[in-house]
Amino acid sequence: MSDCCHSGAGASSSAPSNPSPKARYFCPMCPGVESDEPGSCPQCGMDLERNPLARRTVWTCPMHPEVERDEPGACPQCGMDLEPTGTPDTAAEEEEERAIRSLGRRTLAGAVLSLPVFLLAMLPMVPGLPLPAWFESPVRPWAELVLTTPVVLWAGNLFLVRGWQSLRTRHWNMFTLILLGVGAAYLSSVVSVLFPGIYPESFRQDGEPPLYFEAAAVITTLVLFGQWLEARARRRTGQALRGLMDLAAATARRVLPDGSEEEVPVERVQTGDRLRVRPGEKIPLDGILLEGQSRVDESMLSGEPIPVRREVGDEVIGGTVNQEGGFLLETTAVGEDTVLSRIVQRVAEAQRSRAPVQNLVDRVAAVFVPVVVAIALLAFLAWALLGPQPSLLYATVAAVSVLIIACPCALGLATPMSIMVGVGRGARQGILIRDAEALERAEKVEALVTDKTGTLTEGRPEVVALRPEEGVSGEDLLGAALAVEQSSEHPLARAVEAAARERGLRATTATGFQSTTGYGAEGEVGADRVRVGRRKFVETATGSVPEATAEQAEEDQQQGRTVIWVARGPRLLGTLAVADPVKESAPGAVRELQAMGIRLVMATGDQDGTARAVASRVGLDEVRADVDPAEKQAIVRELQDEGLRVAMAGDGINDAPALAAADVGIAMGSGTDIAMESAGLTLVHGDLRGVATALRLSRATLRNIRQNLFFAFAYNALGIPIAAGVLYPVLGLLLSPMIAGTAMAFSSVSVLSNALRLRHTPLQQSS
């Protein structure tokens, strides 16, 4: 129980408690009573409740996401350092920073101690260099032993522990090879110093037993240096995630029921609270404007620099910046339910996910270590039996060099590092990637099926004309439509509500509301059933429609307007013409995608005339109109049957089946939650240009992964045979363990550097 459990005498047991975000459990009745463990309140005896604001950090392996722990440590399968998942809290970040500092200290200590060992071993090999007499005495071997021991057993202890764990659990990995290579070099050298007489003549060089202290010390330091670079690189890949977290406001100005205001931490704000936002302030949390209007800078989330106008009834996102006027909002989401928190969580999960290409790496790694050990044994036997004198010395050098140069750390890093950098880069561009598989699938997209409303158009339709039938007033027509549409989530319903609000109309909400996705909605208004939606949906109640009304509807569609039909019982009340402006960026985005070789198909539930008018404006040739959700899904299947990899871009519930069926679903950020959950990629700003950027990002990331795999395989494919001694008969070249360690470290540095280069790869269309 924490110290704050004792809130002091006089604390009211009936006052509601607002727990701090750091407390895991709290008493809802006694303010200040908090605990890290479950139990009962020491003041009132109630069971402590789990704090919804508390963030539990789970530590997982970047190579094996199925491994999860409550504390940091090493992966039991591959030995890699576990990393915090989800939204990183302060404790996790501090632990990560401590681990980096620890690696830095170990690396520095290893370098300081390894340098004299290296000089002690190498200087006698320099021809003509005068050396002190003690270089030829027993002092030098003992000095190397004393200096090397802390490097191997202290600085490199984590490698030895992980290597032994890998042997014990039979999960062979890079640390297995380090343990075998460094361990063989160090132990054989210790034996040479302590028991020099046990070595046969064939194992001696110039009459002295072999020493590999310099190899053990330098290799350990190089591996430490590589691990330190890797840890720093992983921290850098999380900068986009931390940048998103920093967007959140720390405090909010809450308006109390009596009209007074108080400044409180955002953690204390609850859903339904009213908040005052002044010009220049960050919007604390997600909400709906109750009073006032302004322009809001949403560039931090969407990447779009132009401020967006927000008025009464509009939604605003926490973390964005209010620029002009002050306003009052009602909070609709707090804590982990806010858009920003969900974005951060999605980015974090995607960075830890596995790409399908990683399965190839895993299969290779599963047999790689046993094969390397076998090659090392064969190299030892070949040199021992066939090599020149001292043959056992050459055999040991070859075996140790093979084990060191074959360290598969670069192979293990190749995919996860690129995925982490690519997902972070996408987050900065307003592209949220659900998992690595979606990112990999996007690379191969050949066709894009796109919705119209909210994707090619603004998604903010307006009623531009009321066309009532004879004997029906415009107010009656609009009022009937409003009664039903008040319960609908469709963007066209918002247009009807806005038109009614402008005219001061108030209608009773229909009872028995039913929505037929892709067709319309209906409900009971008084004694009649009102239907609102597409023509064929309304015709099931009215039968045929007047020819003049049909002609007027056709004319509206040809002008790019959507026609909403309204019927009360068997009587047609009329139609509403709704216009949804084409996004300014849509024509350019279409041209950009076509230039990338992407086949574009518009699939919309809107009327054919409206759809073709919009398609003509943006430059699309292939249009499928009057389609319901099942037909949209069928279009995706049809293109897939043609052998194409298909992406689907949409923002509504009616798009969800097609988004799920597509090889890659792309949800517009302005759309519904179900559309986002069905999609692999989400564009925060909901702009079709983001699709082109997302596809370029996927191509750049997969290209980067292949480059990394090339680096990893190339080093091993070239290095292992050279380390085994295949060049010795031709060139007299035998790789020393130190050179092998340097090559191994350089391969990891190459992979890390190449992955980080992805942060600056151009993703926009070149001029």
Side-chain angles (χ1 to χ4, degrees), residues 556-572:
D556 283 330
Q557 293 173 28
Q558 290 175 357
Q559 296 178 16
R561 298 170 177 174
T562 299
V563 177
I564 300 177
W565 297 72
V566 184
R568 183 193 294 268
R571 183 184 181 188
L572 178 67

Side-chain angles (χ1 to χ4, degrees), residues 61-294:
C61 175
M63 310 298 181
H64 302 89
E66 69 275 8
V67 175
E68 293 186 350
R69 298 289 186 271
D70 290 332
E71 297 178 348
C75 173
Q77 296 191 29
C78 69
M80 295 286 293
D81 285 328
L82 299 180
E83 298 182 351
T85 64
T87 306
D89 57 22
T90 302
E93 291 182 348
E94 290 177 353
E95 181 64 36
E96 187 179 18
E97 187 62 34
R98 281 196 296 270
I100 294 175
R101 287 198 299 266
S102 175
L103 279 173
R105 288 193 297 269
R106 290 172 183 262
T107 303
L108 180 60
V112 170
L113 295 174
S114 298
L115 180 59
V117 175
F118 177 80
L119 294 176
L120 287 171
M122 295 295 108
L123 289 179
M125 300 182 184
V126 179
L129 182 66
L131 297 173
W134 60 265
F135 260 81
E136 304 299 330
S137 69
V139 174
R140 181 169 62 87
W142 281 97
E144 291 186 31
L145 172 60
V146 171
L147 292 169
T148 302
T149 297
V151 177
V152 173
L153 299 185
W154 174 73
N157 175 63
L158 68 163
F159 303 143
L160 304 181
V161 171
R162 295 172 185 180
W164 173 252
Q165 184 181 20
S166 70
L167 290 174
R168 184 172 54 83
T169 60
R170 298 181 182 179
H171 289 291
W172 290 15
N173 52 58
M174 57 177 282
F175 297 107
T176 312
L177 300 180
I178 293 173
L179 172 67
L180 296 177
V182 173
Y186 177 74
L187 291 177
S188 65
S189 301
V190 171
V191 172
S192 296
V193 174
L194 299 179
F195 310 103
I198 69 172
Y199 284 93
E201 191 61 33
S202 63
F203 215 92
R204 295 173 180 267
Q205 186 173 27
D206 298 330
E208 298 293 332
L211 295 177
Y212 302 112
F213 285 124
E214 80 285 356
V218 172
I219 288 168
T220 300
T221 302
L222 287 171
V223 176
L224 278 168
F225 181 64
Q227 292 284 297
W228 178 69
L229 287 178
E230 176 190 334
R232 284 171 54 87
R234 288 187 182 279
R235 182 178 61 179
R236 290 169 68 185
T237 61
Q239 288 177 350
L241 193 61
R242 294 183 180 91
L244 287 174
M245 294 176 60
D246 291 341
L247 298 180
T251 61
R253 183 170 295 275
R254 182 165 56 187
V255 179
L256 302 178
D258 61 4
S260 61
E261 299 179 4
E262 62 173 353
E263 190 165 353
V264 297
V266 291
E267 292 86 0
R268 292 178 55 189
V269 178
Q270 300 178 359
T271 302
D273 284 354
R274 296 185 301 159
L275 306 178
R276 178 77 63 188
V277 183
R278 296 175 295 192
E281 290 183 338
K282 280 186 178 180
I283 297 175
L285 295 163
D286 299 356
I288 297 178
L289 263 65
L290 299 178
E291 297 177 5
Q293 60 183 13
S294 181

Side-chain angles (χ1 to χ4, degrees), residues 377-552:
L377 290 175
L378 290 174
F380 181 87
L381 293 175
W383 278 96
L385 299 175
L386 305 175
Q389 293 298 325
S391 59
L392 290 179
L393 177 61
Y394 283 119
T396 302
V397 170
V400 172
S401 296
V402 168
L403 292 173
I404 294 300
I405 202 170
C407 179
C409 50
L411 184 64
L413 291 171
T415 298
M417 281 301 300
S418 294
I419 292 296
M420 291 180 69
V421 177
V423 169
R425 176 73 187 278
R428 295 202 307 272
Q429 299 287 135
I431 302 167
L432 305 183
I433 301 165
R434 186 172 65 184
D435 51 38
E437 182 176 1
L439 188 64
E440 182 171 337
R441 285 176 176 269
E443 183 213 19
K444 299 179 174 65
V445 165
E446 300 163 291
L448 173 66
V449 178
T450 176
D451 183 35
K452 178 182 70 67
T453 304
T455 304
L456 294 171
T457 62
E458 292 288 353
R460 294 186 178 182
E462 299 176 351
V463 175
V464 295
L466 299 176
R467 309 200 186 280
E469 291 294 291
E470 185 176 353
V472 179
S473 68
E475 287 74 14
D476 289 341
L477 171 63
L478 186 58
L482 175 63
V484 174
E485 295 285 37
Q486 283 183 120
S487 301
S488 174
E489 58 80 36
H490 197 279
L492 295 182
R494 305 287 78 78
V496 172
E497 288 183 339
R501 188 165 55 242
E502 289 178 2
R503 292 166 174 79
L505 291 182
R506 293 186 178 181
T508 303
T509 302
T511 59
F513 174 82
Q514 291 182 346
S515 176
T516 304
T517 303
Y519 288 94
E522 58 186 313
E524 299 291 338
V525 180
D528 299 318
R529 190 154 191 84
V530 174
R531 287 196 167 202
V532 181
R534 295 166 63 179
R535 174 178 172 177
K536 56 185 176 183
F537 179 67
V538 171
E539 278 184 328
T540 57
T542 65
S544 61
V545 299
E547 184 176 347
T549 303
E551 291 177 355
Q552 180 62 60

Side-chain angles (χ1 to χ4, degrees), residues 650-661:
D651 69 340
I653 289 178
N654 61 326
D655 298 320
L659 287 168

